[in-house]
Amino acid sequence: MEIDRVDLEPDELPKHWYNILPDLPEPLPKPKDPGDGSRLKFLEEVLIPQCYKQEYLEDRYIQIPDELWEMYIHAGRPRPLYRALRLERRLKLKRVKLFYKREDLSPTGSHKVNTALAQAYYASKAGIETLVTETGAGQWGTALSYAARLNGLDAVVFWVRSVYNWKKDRRTFMKLYGAKVYASPSRVTEAGRQGLKRGEKEGSLGLAISEGLEYASKKPNSAYALGSVLNHVLLHQTIIGLETKKQFEKIDMYPDVIVACLGGGSNFGGISLPFMHDVLKKGKRIRFVASQSMAAPNLIKGEYRYDYGDTAEYTPMLKMYTLGHKVRMPPIKADGLRYHAAAPIISLLRHHNLIDAVAYPIDEMAVFEAARLFVETEGWLPAPESSYAIRAAIDLALEYEKKGQEKIILMNISGHGFLDLYAYRKILYGRGR
Ligand SMILES: *Cc1c(COP(=O)(O)O)cnc(C)c1O
């Protein structure tokens, strides 16, 4: 008998997040403002105070407040770790073992809930009444709408118009949580009106961020929440990797390879950073692989330099692997992976050769085929973004198997695909197929 699921009891949920800042190979370059410093001040004023503080903390472990810890349990944490036995058999793997972490089992269907709950909790404690944000694929907007409502706050979401237009069900989902949702570019902000004037009908994540920041700066008792890239977001997401470490301890195994998809870097950081600690401080050897789209291969084609986080240059500059903040990225179904730059923490680790990256073609066929194989064998429906991790893990597994190497590969399933069946239909069964 072989049990292919590793669970933790609710009381085994870690009580701390892991902060990698003190363990990095060199200090993380600080945000910079080429102007008079007003952008740095603006960011401090517009973010949730506790989250802003967490950008710079030097403690290695940060306690998760009790009430938030209870909310994590309510939201289904700890989440299971699965051995992909059926997928292994299909791929005829003898030496390679595949595992996957189930962040798809979240109330709104993605890992984003981990930071959304933390941000909404800290905001409510600080007397903030409205949380404002942007969203691209819609996962972050949904997670924040959920977390805001559960913490008694209002949410305002600026959603990239090209996606807003076709994801009607996800819009309904956000509205069920009581969120106010605007298609971006909108007419409610100056940044939006300028975008419309320039003829940017489709919108972009960078422009939606600009709109949200402007809106939040004008609305009393509001704050801006970000779903990826920043240090505090990656910090909150480390709950994924910390749980997974305990789960591997339980079965007396340890991963050789960790694979996750990467847009801004939050789910990749979430599963990787607690293991990166072992690499940096305990001499462990792990291969970390970020799986990207050729539409936004920031870690592969990007330059490591200071750049803005948004199109309208409201944010300070961060040192990141970037394609340039004004770059145009072709549309793909895995919208969550379309961001011009990777998180500063991830970028620094990449700069030190601690992270590998691969990118898949924009027709996404290879990725959706991998997702289909996963559905046929494991039965769970992954988000298009998560399917990039599955594709890369399968490719690596076959490579190691061919070379006769014993490896344990861990992949992160960052979300489910129930609201993305349209994308599956288009890619796998479109054009008469
Ligand atoms: C947002 C999202 C991503 C990409 O964002 P990261 O910050 O790189 O993790 C990946 N998968 C899902 C399901 C998402 O919602």
Side-chain angles (χ1 to χ4, degrees):
M1 191 170 69
E2 212 163 3
I3 292 177
D4 63 359
R5 200 178 87 202
V6 189
D7 290 308
L8 296 176
E9 295 295 329
D11 65 2
E12 292 178 285
L13 177 68
K15 296 225 150 122
H16 296 82
W17 293 297
Y18 167 60
N19 175 24
I20 199 168
L21 291 183
D23 292 338
L24 289 174
E26 62 172 302
L28 192 70
K30 296 254 184 297
K32 211 166 75 172
D33 185 350
D36 54 4
S38 60
R39 287 186 185 84
L40 290 167
K41 201 153 181 307
F42 172 61
L43 199 67
E44 182 174 355
E45 282 163 3
V46 88
L47 288 181
I48 298 153
Q50 189 63 23
C51 295
Y52 182 78
K53 216 170 116 193
Q54 288 176 343
E55 279 299 290
Y56 300 103
L57 286 183
E58 282 297 323
D59 316 68
R60 183 168 290 128
Y61 293 99
I62 312 284
Q63 195 176 353
I64 301 171
D66 287 346
E67 263 179 79
L68 175 57
W69 190 83
E70 287 161 14
M71 279 192 268
Y72 274 171
I73 290 182
H74 179 81
R77 304 213 73 90
R79 303 206 194 288
L81 172 72
Y82 272 65
R83 169 97 181 264
L85 275 177
R86 289 163 183 79
L87 179 58
E88 286 175 20
R89 279 183 212 128
R90 172 73 82 90
L91 298 171
K92 301 193 168 56
L93 302 178
K94 298 273 182 302
R95 295 182 177 81
V96 179
K97 297 182 174 68
L98 288 171
F99 285 86
Y100 56 101
K101 179 70 169 169
R102 299 293 312 277
E103 289 305 311
D104 55 308
L105 295 176
S106 102
T108 65
S110 85
H111 72 286
K112 300 254 173 30
V113 159
N114 301 329
T115 187
L117 279 173
Q119 296 192 41
Y121 167 80
Y122 286 129
S124 74
K125 291 293 155 200
I128 288 160
E129 290 163 4
T130 307
L131 283 178
V132 184
T133 198
E134 90 298 337
T135 194
Q139 294 273 22
W140 169 238
T142 319
L144 194 76
S145 302
Y146 150 85
R149 182 50 68 233
L150 264 70
N151 281 277
L153 308 175
D154 292 327
V156 177
V157 180
F158 288 90
W159 194 356
V160 177
R161 187 180 295 273
S162 57
V163 190
Y164 171 98
N165 281 343
W166 65 270
K167 289 197 175 173
K168 291 208 179 64
D169 291 337
R170 193 167 280 287
R171 224 190 296 163
T172 306
F173 202 1
M174 287 183 216
K175 285 189 178 158
L176 272 172
Y177 291 122
K180 180 100 194 72
V181 187
Y182 294 107
S184 168
S186 76
R187 299 203 171 276
V188 293
T189 69
E190 186 52 36
R193 289 188 291 270
Q194 291 293 335
L196 286 171
K197 219 185 263 174
R198 288 192 301 268
E200 293 173 21
K201 281 192 287 281
E202 303 270 282
S204 71
L205 206 51
L207 183 56
I209 295 175
S210 307
E211 285 210 81
L213 282 172
E214 184 190 326
Y215 187 95
S217 71
K218 288 178 183 158
K219 173 123 184 147
N221 284 327
S222 74
Y224 193 81
L226 274 150
S228 187
V229 178
L230 294 188
N231 303 346
H232 68 273
V233 177
L234 272 62
L235 172 74
H236 303 153
Q237 292 295 356
T238 59
I239 192 73
I240 305 173
L242 291 164
E243 273 181 22
T244 312
K245 255 174 128 168
K246 280 195 175 185
Q247 286 162 317
F248 272 110
E249 269 167 38
K250 275 201 167 178
I251 52 171
D252 203 18
M253 287 192 200
Y254 195 84
D256 301 294
V257 183
I258 299 179
V259 189
C261 64
L262 192 142
S266 74
N267 90 92
F268 180 89
I271 195 155
S272 298
L273 297 183
F275 288 96
M276 189 65 83
H277 172 263
D278 294 356
V279 170
L280 295 169
K281 295 288 150 187
K282 297 185 179 166
K284 285 272 190 195
R285 292 183 58 175
I286 304 174
R287 183 173 176 196
F288 298 93
V289 182
S291 188
Q292 304 206 284
S293 165
M294 299 275 218
N298 49 45
L299 287 180
I300 297 166
K301 299 262 170 76
E303 283 175 54
Y304 189 46
R305 63 172 170 88
Y306 273 96
D307 194 12
Y308 296 100
D310 67 317
T311 317
E313 304 176 1
Y314 281 114
T315 68
M317 298 181 100
L318 301 170
K319 193 153 185 197
M320 321 179 266
Y321 275 93
T322 177
L323 299 162
H325 65 291
K326 292 198 189 279
V327 75
R328 279 180 183 269
M329 293 166 279
I332 49 170
K333 295 293 179 253
D335 286 297
L337 301 184
R338 278 174 85 230
Y339 188 63
H340 67 274
I345 288 174
I346 303 298
S347 294
L348 184 120
L349 292 166
R350 167 80 168 158
H351 185 62
H352 284 261
N353 287 321
L354 290 157
I355 294 172
D356 290 341
V358 291
Y360 291 97
I362 55 175
D363 69 14
E364 299 188 286
M365 195 46 117
V367 168
F368 277 80
E369 288 293 0
R372 171 149 61 189
L373 198 57
F374 189 81
V375 172
E376 282 180 3
T377 51
E378 296 297 316
W380 303 101
L381 179 71
E385 290 85 358
S386 316
S387 307
Y388 281 71
I390 298 171
R391 176 76 263 166
I394 290 176
D395 289 352
L396 286 163
L398 294 173
E399 230 176 272
Y400 286 124
E401 185 71 27
K402 210 164 143 192
K403 288 194 234 157
Q405 297 183 7
E406 304 245 342
K407 294 283 179 194
I408 295 177
I409 300 180
L410 164 66
M411 55 185 146
N412 193 37
I413 306 300
S414 54
H416 71 56
F418 290 128
L419 293 173
D420 301 282
L421 283 165
Y422 166 89
Y424 276 88
R425 174 155 53 83
K426 272 280 191 207
I427 303 281
L428 292 175
Y429 310 111
R431 284 169 249 116
R433 250 172 281 145

